[in-house]
Amino acid sequence: MPRYDFRCRSCGATFELNRPMAQANDPATCPDGHPDTVKLLSTVAVTGAAASAPAPSGGGGGGCCGGGCCG
Ligand SMILES: [Zn+2]
């Protein structure tokens, strides 16, 4: 049974509930009885997207041709 994290907007408490997925979106009540709660997203590992830098194309720069030195 999945576990859902909730946070109470009245007192700021966070609590967990084990409930069927069918009831995932049902309102939850704070352990202190506050009905104003929000469901938190499950803990997900958020890592920066390691964008693969494009390999620099060979050639260009450093060549002797183009500067008139080759001939
Ligand atoms: Zn509360």
Side-chain angles (χ1 to χ4, degrees), residues 8-13 30-34 37:
C8 177
R9 290 195 291 186
S10 295
C11 67
C30 170
D32 288 340
H34 305 135
T37 59

Side-chain angles (χ1 to χ4, degrees), residues 2-3 6-7 9 21 23 34 36-37 40 43 45 47 50 52 60 70-71:
R3 187 189 68 191
F6 291 85
R7 184 170 62 87
R9 290 195 291 186
M21 291 185 67
Q23 301 175 15
H34 305 135
D36 190 10
T37 59
L40 303 177
T43 303
T47 58
S52 59
C70 291

Side-chain angles (χ1 to χ4, degrees), residues 35-51:
D36 190 10
T37 59
V38 292
K39 185 163 69 72
L40 303 177
L41 295 176
S42 300
T43 303
V44 292
V46 179
T47 58

Side-chain angles (χ1 to χ4, degrees), residues 54-63:
S57 59

